[in-house]
Amino acid sequence: MEKDWVQELTMILGEAKVQTSVADVHSYSFDGSFGEYVPEAVVHVSSTEDVCQVMKVANAYKVPVTPRGQGTCLSGGPLPVHGGIVLDTSQWPSSVEIFPDDLIARVSPGTLTSTIHEAAAQHGLMYPPDPSSAHVSTIGGNLAENSGGPRGLKYGVTKDYVLGLEVVTPEGEVMRTGGKTIKNVTGIDLTKLIVGSEGILGVITEATLKLVPAPPALQTMMAAFDSMRAAGEAISKTLVSEILPSKMEFIDKACARAVENYQPSGLPIDAEAILIIELDGHPAAIQEEAEKVERVMMELGAKMVIMPQSAAEAAEIWKARKLVSPAIAKIKPTKVSEDATVPRSKIPEMMEKLAAIRENYGIELVVFGHAGDGNLHPNILCDKRDKEEMQRVELAVAEIFQAAIDLGGTLSGEHGIGTMKSPFLEDEIGLTGVDMMKRIKQAWDPNGIMNPGKVFAEEGQRLVLTHD
Ligand SMILES: Cc1cc2nc3c(=O)[nH]c(=O)nc-3n(C[C@H](O)[C@H](O)[C@H](O)COP(=O)(O)OP(=O)(O)OC[C@H]3O[C@@H](n4cnc5c(N)ncnc54)[C@H](O)[C@@H]3O)c2cc1C
């Protein structure tokens, strides 16, 4: 016999939208991190009205609700850690309406980010946020995590392109924030509060996004270095050379080798560090800038600088960059992916600290990431079945966080806190900061049903990696 709330939801939404069998709900127990929690029900929503109904029933029965897009989160955000309902938006029909005269797009929550990129491009426009997962993640997930990507260096992250939202509150009411205008200072900025709130305050059901004119020309460059420190210094030096590249990505030797083993892509495998840079703007300006960047790279000891001569050649290099994540995942069964971020002048120091952590804990730690904005991705390849190894990994992760904080950085540049980093939140923002966030959560969600177990550490929670 199904629980009363399941019966009620089935009656309202129909059997096809409410699944409870073990076989059906199992695939909603994972995300891109490695926790596993099975929900009691998965509800596939395809309209704001559906979401309101789910939230009203869940709130009445005090059942946890975990919103979910495509489940690519790397911090445990869409995992139903307290059971209850996974509210799946992935079957919500994609919708992107472009308003070229206002340079805005109105989108539905389950739309893939790459679909928005393609729709904007048809009007000569660009939606800048470009998480490497753009082809497999939803705008709802991007908004909830405030996702970034390579272009964050020049253009900023998701929050910088959100003008307005439609949100369903934990009590099932529809709320609109912001609007269609570039300027809007009416009252407290609830749009900014929702973006990056990791699904703990409400369900995003529509977003109005800001677009910009697409840059007329692009130039990609790839430089290889014999030392991490030199690559770090080349990043810092470029950024103070009156040039702002649109992308400045970093790949270490282990990542380059993993890509070449996985799918040969022409990355140099004998260099300690590779930088992949993109300049965008007027063709004459970027040519001058490319020459300047090349000089900086050579002055800092680059062993080679490649400038692809066609869009197809450039696309090959960026494809290789995108392959890093799947390629390193093949090295060992478990991948612990971090996104500690430091002020840009501290990149070389952070690189050195990561090397020391790798050495001290005897772990397989590889590094790649959006280095131009200080957002490194130290990834630890390990095996979650090996308890002894995972204990070393856990200590290493804590030290990575501490290193970033000590250098004036942050626990998370883009992946969010979720379950994976919640025990460390207080280390960065202090007790008063955590308390204020909890008070906001309590005011929005008095019954605590909206994505519980995320952002704030639960009683006694410390070990985040060694649960079964
Ligand atoms: C290979 C790979 C590369 C990646 N590259 C990047 C990168 O470059 N930059 C980056 O920032 N991230 C990156 N990520 C992480 C991930 O893709 C992003 O966090 C993405 O935004 C998650 O989208 P999703 O649709 O998969 O959301 P999910 O993983 O399903 O959910 C993420 C969070 O959003 C909440 N949520 C989802 N939809 C809604 C909604 N409609 N309303 C309210 N809350 C909601 C969930 O509860 C959860 O807390 C990468 C992940 C992978 C696997």
Side-chain angles (χ1 to χ4, degrees):
M1 182 75 173
E2 297 282 17
K3 290 188 171 163
D4 289 352
W5 57 267
V6 174
Q7 290 184 31
E8 209 165 305
L9 281 173
T10 310
M11 211 168 65
I12 298 169
L13 297 171
E15 267 178 31
K17 286 190 170 175
V18 185
Q19 296 184 312
T20 53
S21 78
V22 177
D24 287 332
V25 301
H26 189 254
S27 41
Y28 296 86
S29 57
F30 305 94
D31 69 352
S33 70
F34 54 88
E36 187 182 342
Y37 300 88
V38 182
E40 288 162 86
V42 175
V43 182
H44 306 287
V45 288
S46 52
S47 67
T48 302
E49 185 51 30
D50 284 356
V51 178
C52 293
Q53 300 285 11
V54 175
M55 293 317 306
K56 282 188 173 141
V57 171
N59 197 47
Y61 287 91
K62 299 192 174 50
V63 177
V65 177
T66 303
R68 182 181 177 97
Q70 287 285 350
T72 64
C73 187
L74 296 169
S75 58
L79 300 177
V81 299
H82 290 289
I85 299 166
V86 163
L87 184 136
D88 170 42
T89 62
S90 67
Q91 295 178 24
W92 190 311
S94 268
S95 160
V96 186
E97 280 176 275
I98 305 279
F99 301 88
D101 294 343
D102 288 326
L103 284 90
I104 60 174
R106 193 162 59 203
V107 301
S108 61
T111 305
L112 295 182
T113 317
S114 57
T115 308
I116 303 172
H117 291 153
E118 285 154 21
Q122 283 174 13
H123 295 268
L125 297 170
M126 176 167 84
Y127 171 64
D130 60 340
S132 304
S133 54
H135 287 83
V136 285
S137 65
T138 66
I139 187 67
N142 290 186
L143 290 159
E145 295 295 346
N146 190 13
S147 297
R151 280 201 288 249
L153 170 58
K154 180 169 183 175
Y155 291 96
V157 296
T158 302
K159 72 168 188 236
D160 301 311
Y161 294 87
V162 191
L163 299 179
L165 295 172
E166 181 187 84
V167 178
V168 175
T169 68
E171 284 148 326
E173 305 300 333
V174 180
M175 181 186 73
R176 284 200 165 267
T177 74
K180 292 178 177 176
T181 55
I182 295 296
K183 288 176 155 183
N184 181 334
V185 290
T186 304
I188 292 175
D189 193 341
L190 295 179
T191 311
K192 284 274 193 293
L193 186 60
I194 292 286
V195 175
S197 65
E198 303 192 27
I200 69 168
L201 299 182
V203 183
I204 299 162
T205 47
E206 186 187 279
T208 303
L209 306 171
K210 182 171 79 171
L211 307 174
V212 297
L218 307 172
Q219 175 67 57
T220 292
M221 308 175 69
M222 178 161 73
F225 291 84
D226 270 337
S227 98
M228 292 269 229
R229 182 154 196 115
E233 282 168 0
I235 295 165
S236 302
K237 181 82 190 290
T238 305
L239 295 171
V240 295
S241 302
E242 295 168 353
I243 296 170
L244 185 53
S246 49
K247 304 177 184 173
M248 210 167 188
E249 298 285 297
F250 169 84
I251 300 176
D252 76 2
K253 181 152 94 181
C255 292
R257 290 191 168 180
V259 170
E260 292 305 310
N261 284 336
Y262 179 67
Q263 199 171 305
S265 305
L267 292 178
I269 52 168
D270 53 347
E272 285 302 319
I274 300 169
L275 297 183
I276 305 178
I277 300 158
E278 184 184 87
L279 300 159
D280 72 358
H282 188 277
I286 58 174
Q287 192 181 339
E288 204 175 294
E289 289 179 355
E291 285 162 13
K292 211 165 170 183
V293 173
E294 186 176 19
R295 273 200 302 278
V296 171
M297 298 291 136
M298 296 313 281
E299 274 166 28
L300 283 154
K303 45 196 266 169
M304 65 161 213
V305 180
I306 291 176
M307 274 203 229
Q309 295 307 310
S310 69
E313 274 175 47
E316 281 303 303
I317 294 180
W318 288 107
K319 189 173 157 210
R321 162 64 186 88
K322 282 207 173 190
L323 287 175
V324 171
S325 215
I328 60 172
K330 299 275 174 207
I331 295 176
K332 276 192 153 191
T334 309
K335 177 161 94 68
V336 177
S337 179
E338 296 304 344
D339 65 327
T341 302
V342 294
R344 288 175 279 191
S345 63
K346 303 291 183 197
I347 294 168
E349 248 177 283
M350 187 64 183
M351 301 273 202
E352 282 184 349
K353 282 181 185 264
L354 291 173
I357 291 170
R358 177 195 297 120
E359 194 76 13
N360 288 347
Y361 293 99
I363 47 169
E364 200 144 344
L365 188 155
V366 303
V367 189
F368 66 98
H370 319 302
D373 55 22
N375 184 192
L376 301 173
H377 289 318
N379 272 249
I380 305 175
L381 294 326
C382 47
D383 183 345
K384 72 175 175 183
R385 294 162 301 185
D386 182 341
K387 293 274 187 271
E388 186 279 325
E389 183 185 31
M390 293 313 281
Q391 271 161 13
R392 278 184 286 126
V393 171
E394 209 162 89
L395 292 170
V397 167
E399 217 168 299
I400 292 172
F401 292 150
Q402 198 54 52
I405 293 171
D406 289 347
L407 292 173
T410 176
L411 295 175
S412 178
E414 57 183 23
H415 295 165
I417 299 300
T419 54
M420 304 276 295
K421 301 182 195 108
S422 55
F424 302 93
L425 184 67
E426 195 184 314
D427 296 345
E428 182 177 332
I429 63 168
L431 196 54
T432 309
V434 175
D435 181 53
M436 190 55 78
M437 285 189 189
K438 284 186 174 168
R439 285 199 253 166
I440 291 171
K441 163 74 174 162
Q442 172 65 25
W444 276 72
D445 179 18
N447 288 325
I449 58 163
M450 202 73 243
N451 206 0
K454 312 298 163 60
V455 183
F456 309 114
E458 310 234 87
E459 191 74 14
Q461 184 186 343
R462 205 201 75 78
L463 299 182
V464 282
L465 306 177
T466 49
H467 63 76
D468 293 314

